[in-house]
Amino acid sequence: MYDISGAVTDVTSSCPAEGCRYCMVPPNSMNFYYNSGDINIGVALSAHSAGRERYTCGEDNPYGMAQALAIQYAVENLNIDIPGILNGVRLGTVMLDVCNNPDVASLFYNNLLGTREVVRDTHGRVVDPNSVKAIIDGLTNSGAMSFSKSTEMYGLPQVGTVASSAALMDHTNYPLYSRTVESNYYQSIAMANFFVKKSWYYVQAVYSPSMRQDIDMLKTVTADFKICMSAQYEMGTAGNANQILDKVRSNSNAKVVVMFLEKSHIRDILLAIKDASWAQNFVIVGGESWGSDNLNVLGLENVVNGVITFQPQIGPTSNFQNWINQKQPRTSMNLPWFRELYENAFQCYVDASSKGKFATECPNPGAGLPSSTSYQFWYQMTTSINAVYVTAKALDETLKHYCGINYSGVCIEYRAANDSNKLLLQNIRNAYVSLSSSYQLSMFNGEAHSGIEIMNYRLGQKYVQVST
């Protein structure tokens, strides 16, 4: 190339040290499922863990895959579980695997919603950005915070299924965020009541950086119950897992240790206890992120024995279990990441793409997924199903407002309205879902209220519910 004087000019530009997100990760290279509807819900979750490079994917993540199945179940069975809503409206999803990187979610949805790219699925179908009216996320606390901020400009309501940090209750900082998982605030109240019942008036705490505000809140709540939090340690700031455990042990009067941790930090703590030369002489009380999660403690059963955890109440499961039990990986190709989840559950391969990973071929037809010993109904599946139902109920109320109480299909008045997102957000934040006589979910100003379950890990029995 020549400049104005006729001299040869080199216009090659080098990549910046921090990389170039928009050229490194074009939307079409991201792993997503598109089940088209008249109205679509965007979904961001981690069906895989992060890979070695920043924007790559690693090992399968059963939690995220199970969430994807739960969301797909709720979309397909909406009118069975909640009859009479979204009359004549087909609900669809744009379900993205972010591989434990919220930046991927931000990039994809900014490109889609901002029409920066024409986004096509593997079948060549174009995703209409105007059809996406809400987003469900299965991201952890820090991921949900980052993603919510990055997509705020589009005004779409966001419904979280995992992040429980009290920081997300602040609608000034997170004006579009609601969630179907109980906030750590309500878990803290449940913990304090439990501690009083057990006469545990002297505790200490370990927490991930994303949950600093939750520990401050827990300290305030426990103080109201005359419970003293004698020490608190932040992962990383107060040292690594081994160093923090040494500090916990040195505070010998506080035998109860509350741990508000992200899943990766839970594993770090348990491994440090396993490798320690000393015997554990304290009780671990885990927050929602622990859950009744048997996968996260594989190989560490002796260490986790006795751990007490607090999690959202699991809703009715029989309809979902029957639905998933009938699914076969070779005939359910529309189910997001079902094949990989099935192969991992039964340690067999469905097609040649997994033949090197597993030694034997899966029988055809094979057993239903729930018959696998590694299968488990996690609470995240309930919160994911609830997120779809809360959003659907809110959409139904919003359509009634614009299209009339007896509407059928999506009317032009709704599509043309400039304030429909605001009304939808208001309806999400005040939604009510009743799935059985014993299970109801109420949303109060965007916060879920369904009840807290207390679980206790017992060797040989796994997590069992504690009656209070």
Side-chain angles (χ1 to χ4, degrees):
M1 183 174 288
Y2 300 91
D3 64 14
I4 195 170
S5 67
V8 177
T9 303
D10 180 10
V11 295
T12 302
S13 60
S14 58
C15 291
E18 66 274 14
C20 175
R21 324 180 355 148
Y22 290 96
C23 58
M24 287 174 65
V25 197
N28 293 336
S29 72
M30 299 178 187
N31 190 6
F32 72 96
Y33 278 77
Y34 178 39
N35 288 308
S36 176
D38 302 315
I39 294 177
N40 292 310
I41 299 174
V43 180
L45 47 75
S46 291
H48 296 82
S49 60
R52 292 183 179 180
E53 301 295 330
R54 186 177 180 189
Y55 293 107
T56 61
C57 298
E59 294 297 315
D60 295 345
N61 176 21
Y63 311 109
M65 291 178 177
Q67 283 181 278
L69 286 179
I71 289 170
Q72 190 61 38
Y73 161 81
V75 169
E76 290 185 14
N77 292 272
L78 176 62
N79 291 111
I80 297 174
D81 288 349
I82 312 178
I85 69 169
L86 293 184
N87 186 37
V89 178
R90 188 176 73 256
L91 195 62
T93 57
V94 184
M95 200 174 297
L96 173 70
D97 180 9
V98 308
C99 299
N100 206 31
N101 186 347
D103 287 348
V104 171
S106 300
L107 173 61
F108 178 88
Y109 281 105
N110 272 294
N111 280 343
L112 170 63
L113 300 173
T115 63
R116 296 173 181 170
E117 299 279 350
V118 175
V119 178
R120 301 176 187 271
D121 70 356
T122 54
H123 303 290
R125 296 176 299 177
V126 176
V127 181
D128 177 8
N130 296 316
S131 70
V132 180
K133 298 300 181 183
I135 300 176
I136 293 173
D137 85 78
L139 308 177
T140 59
N141 293 305
S142 57
M145 294 172 190
S146 170
F147 180 48
S148 183
K149 285 289 189 185
S150 69
T151 56
E152 188 178 313
M153 70 184 81
Y154 303 105
L156 297 185
Q158 185 175 338
V159 183
T161 64
V162 173
S164 59
S165 173
L168 287 162
M169 297 175 77
D170 185 351
H171 290 165
T172 301
N173 286 325
Y174 305 100
L176 302 172
Y177 196 83
S178 303
R179 54 185 163 193
T180 51
V181 60
E182 297 265 2
S183 162
N184 281 343
Y185 172 71
Y186 301 107
Q187 293 179 49
S188 295
I189 293 174
M191 281 185 185
N193 278 293
F194 183 75
F195 293 165
V196 169
K197 274 198 168 186
K198 292 291 185 181
S199 298
W200 293 345
Y201 290 98
Y202 201 43
V203 304
Q204 50 187 320
V206 179
Y207 62 97
S208 296
S210 62
M211 299 188 184
R212 182 182 300 113
Q213 185 170 330
D214 300 274
I215 289 298
D216 292 339
M217 177 190 60
L218 177 63
K219 191 172 184 179
T220 300
V221 169
T222 51
D224 290 340
F225 285 77
K226 310 303 181 187
I227 298 168
C228 174
M229 184 182 293
S230 61
Q232 53 197 70
Y233 310 103
E234 182 178 296
M235 294 291 289
T237 303
N240 59 31
N242 291 297
Q243 293 166 331
I244 287 175
L245 288 172
D246 285 339
K247 294 174 182 178
V248 166
R249 290 177 61 246
S250 68
N251 189 5
S252 57
N253 290 325
K255 299 292 187 183
V256 177
V257 186
V258 179
M259 294 193 177
F260 276 177
L261 299 172
E262 303 283 10
K263 283 191 180 293
S264 59
H265 285 151
I266 292 173
R267 192 79 180 175
D268 290 344
I269 286 287
L270 294 178
L271 286 170
I273 294 174
K274 179 185 178 182
D275 296 338
S277 58
W278 39 262
Q280 181 183 334
N281 62 347
F282 50 84
V283 175
I284 294 176
V285 177
E288 160 274 326
S289 54
W290 290 71
S292 55
D293 186 353
N294 295 308
L295 274 185
N296 205 36
V297 301
L298 285 176
L300 300 168
E301 290 83 358
N302 289 327
V303 177
V304 81
N305 188 37
V307 166
I308 297 167
T309 67
F310 289 70
Q311 68 172 33
Q313 180 184 0
I314 289 179
T317 65
S318 58
N319 287 352
F320 176 85
Q321 304 284 47
N322 292 335
W323 176 82
I324 199 64
N325 194 49
Q326 297 170 15
K327 303 299 181 183
Q328 291 288 312
R330 292 178 176 87
T331 56
S332 300
M333 302 304 291
N334 67 312
L335 289 186
W337 303 288
F338 177 63
R339 179 181 63 81
E340 293 122 297
L341 186 62
Y342 190 94
E343 288 176 333
N344 280 315
F346 291 103
Q347 293 293 292
C348 60
Y349 64 86
V350 171
D351 56 39
S353 65
S354 303
K355 192 171 182 179
K357 186 176 180 181
F358 304 104
T360 59
E361 184 177 4
C362 301
N364 186 23
L369 184 63
S371 65
S372 167
T373 55
S374 67
Y375 173 83
Q376 180 182 344
F377 191 97
W378 296 295
Y379 80 85
Q380 295 99 326
M381 297 161 88
T382 287
T383 58
S384 297
I385 290 171
N386 287 346
V388 174
Y389 290 165
V390 161
T391 305
K393 289 269 284 190
L395 279 167
D396 183 58
E397 292 299 319
T398 305
L399 286 167
K400 285 177 181 177
H401 174 82
Y402 291 103
C403 309
I405 193 167
N406 295 316
Y407 76 89
S408 179
V410 182
C411 65
I412 190 65
E413 289 83 2
Y414 170 72
R415 294 198 185 279
N418 293 322
D419 58 348
S420 62
N421 287 346
K422 292 181 180 179
L423 182 57
L424 178 59
L425 175 64
Q426 179 183 333
N427 288 333
I428 286 174
R429 287 186 167 164
N430 296 289
Y432 173 79
V433 176
S434 177
L435 297 179
S436 72
S437 59
S438 60
Y439 184 84
Q440 293 84 36
L441 173 74
S442 299
M443 299 289 287
F444 291 100
N445 198 24
E447 294 292 331
H449 293 260
S450 61
I452 300 289
E453 292 180 337
I454 306 173
M455 314 296 288
N456 181 213
Y457 193 93
R458 298 173 187 171
L459 203 57
Q461 296 178 293
K462 300 185 178 179
Y463 279 103
V464 296
Q465 190 169 354
V466 175
S467 58
T468 56

